[in-house]
Amino acid sequence: MRIVIAGGHGQIALRLERLLSAGGHHVVGVVRDPGQSQDLRDAGAEPVVLDLESASVDEVAEALRGADAAVFAAGAGPGSGVARKDTVDRGAAVLFADAAERAGVRRYLVVSSMGADARHEGDEVFDAYLRAKGAADDDVRSRSGLDWTVLRPGGLTNDAGTGLVRLKASTGRGPVPRDDVAAVLAELLETPATAGLTLELIGGSVPVAVAVKDVAGN
């Protein structure tokens, strides 16, 4: 498959690029900073430099053209303020979805966040982040032109992956290694029957492939 990942230099995205390229897929990572290109090449991905806060739908669609799947893994990141939570975590996700539809790419995965909710209350930056992610999820889930899956991991850690997870519509809160988030995303890409699902993910006791198979088609 040709798979295009927005936010290609993110910690989860780099892990996913390594997994997918090792599996023989052609992986493209969209990054804003050309200085990150070599890191993507080292991970086995082809870098495309595009700023999703300023690019047009046509520019992003060009990067997506011919892809079998798109993964939105971009984020404003720690240290960013309320404004960029909206322009990146919501706005760029909507732009990427618009571009996927324009390019005819149906399979669309979103890396969201546990607790994402457009109606979430609160005045802190993290509250704004959860609202932005929730609004982006709502937008993607409203699109009949996309075979979407929304993945909402719990607290992300840099612990080594165990390959054992809990993946359900509702899991309760808990931590999950970024390694295992990437492994679940790779498995979701191989499992079209997970389209239309919003899934929470934390560490657990079920092997990744089994956990994805268990939710497929539900």
Side-chain angles (χ1 to χ4, degrees):
M1 289 191 289
R2 182 176 190 267
I3 300 159
V4 180
I5 302 172
H9 197 260
Q11 295 188 66
I12 291 170
L14 286 168
R15 288 166 166 85
L16 179 59
E17 287 156 6
R18 292 187 196 100
L19 286 175
L20 293 174
S21 62
H25 298 294
H26 177 196
V27 189
V28 176
V30 177
V31 293
R32 185 178 57 176
D33 180 0
Q36 297 171 338
S37 296
Q38 189 57 50
D39 289 342
L40 268 69
R41 293 189 190 99
D42 292 344
E46 172 195 341
V48 169
V49 179
L50 265 180
D51 185 348
L52 295 179
E53 287 180 275
S54 61
S56 69
V57 174
D58 285 337
E59 287 172 324
V60 183
E62 191 56 39
L64 281 159
R65 209 161 308 280
D68 299 289
V71 180
F72 186 81
S80 57
V82 169
R84 293 199 68 230
K85 301 305 182 193
D86 185 66
T87 58
V88 179
D89 293 288
R90 185 201 59 77
V94 171
L95 172 68
F96 203 61
D98 286 341
E101 288 192 320
R102 185 163 299 188
V105 181
R106 288 198 63 92
R107 190 70 174 115
Y108 192 92
L109 267 59
V110 178
V111 183
S112 184
S113 174
M114 193 172 290
D117 182 350
R119 292 159 298 282
H120 178 84
E121 296 182 356
D123 300 322
E124 301 298 320
V125 172
F126 190 68
D127 298 318
Y129 167 76
L130 292 176
R131 283 193 293 274
K133 294 298 282 185
D137 293 353
D138 289 348
D139 178 89
V140 168
R141 293 185 298 188
S142 73
R143 295 172 185 255
S144 59
L146 297 178
D147 297 326
W148 54 265
T149 304
V150 174
L151 183 65
R152 292 176 164 177
L156 298 170
T157 75
N158 286 326
D159 297 337
T162 65
L164 300 172
V165 298
R166 178 171 170 79
L167 180 71
K168 301 282 183 186
S170 179
T171 60
R173 294 195 174 273
V176 61
R178 288 180 172 87
D179 286 350
D180 290 333
V181 178
V184 168
L185 288 166
E187 196 69 30
L188 290 170
L189 284 165
E190 301 275 9
T191 314
T194 56
L197 299 180
T198 301
L199 300 166
E200 293 185 349
L201 173 67
I202 57 174
S205 58
V206 180
V208 166
V210 176
V212 172
K213 185 179 178 182
D214 284 349
V215 298
N218 291 336

